[in-house]
Amino acid sequence: MLLHPLSFSSNFVYRQFDKFTSAIQQRKTEEQMWAKVLRKVVSAGPLASAAPRLRAMPAPAAVSGYAGAGAALGGRTRHYSDTRPLSEIQLQHLEGSNSGIATILMNRPHARNSLGKVFVMQLEEIIEDLQKDKSVRVVLFKSQIKGVFCAGADLKERAEMTNTEVGHFVHKLRSLMSNIASLPMPTIAAIDGFALGGGLELALACDLRVAASSAKMGLIEVTRGLLPGAGGSQRLPRIVGINKAKELIFTGRQVDGKQAVSIGLVNDTVTQNDVGDAAYQKALDLAKEILPQGPVAVRMAKQAMNRGIEVDVTSGMAIEEMCYAQVIPTKDRLEGMAAFKEKRLPHFTGK
């Protein structure tokens, strides 16, 4: 018996979704198994006697002293790969009424936040942690360097790589951007300065973008004899349309904040302030609007849109149905209805 094409499309999506969820469950099981093995090795081996001493050791002075950069913004800051004197990436969890908002702080001043090996490694570590952190409802990307968001590839490092090493590193960058795009919670790039090449690709991997009117953005790879290799050739057309994307990529043209908002590259633009963080402040306001909404509903809405945009509308409807089914049994849905009935603001817990 022949299936109707639309029916086949929906059935195919269901099967793919089942495979996807099964793979996730298998990976969790494997992680739990290896965690048990690791605990046995530590408790039985020579590391067992060293463990108490390791836990008692204070943090290196250079690292703990540097935490003030994030603390000054009103939250707790975690550093990554702190074998270096200073971290190039920090994760700051805002507190108080902003609890649930996390800011990724990029701080590589000597190289204008270019995507060097250490920078990429530390960012990978943060993204991996955020994938599993249900307490975070919105993630912001912010530069600690005035006038720069991210300058793109570290060409000095790149020049020292072999052709094979370049291919492997760009593959790693592409995977990093895909992992940013697949974060379960909304992400917002605060572009307060130059976002060029890989820097713009990082911003394109975010759900939303806010730029200062003076910021400069562009996929400029063709001016170096290259093409966008970390997702830019795929994400830019999906955001601004294929014709405008070709124009921008073929010419390597840079646009400012006002031009970017007019073509849909960014969601909003603001006049830069004296501090140089106007885009971040606007992005923070946007995050505060998202923060009180149902976190499970927001995550499922993101998944429905991200997956649905890649398929035909009938398959997209099937994806929406599956995402909606995840929300039905939640306490947040009941709280939303109760709050409406009682004419009060809902208090969502993410359960």
Side-chain angles (χ1 to χ4, degrees), residues 153 155 158 166 170 219-229 249:
L155 296 181
R158 193 73 61 86
V166 169
V170 173
L219 295 180
I220 61 171
E221 285 84 352
V222 295
T223 68
R224 301 292 184 267
L226 300 166
L227 75 153
I249 290 176

Side-chain angles (χ1 to χ4, degrees), residues 9 67 72 76 85 159 172 175-176 207 225 282 285 290 324 326:
S9 182
R76 65 186 189 280
K172 191 175 185 178
S175 297
L176 171 61
D207 297 303
K282 184 67 176 179
D285 289 341
I290 298 171
Y324 196 96
Q326 301 297 311

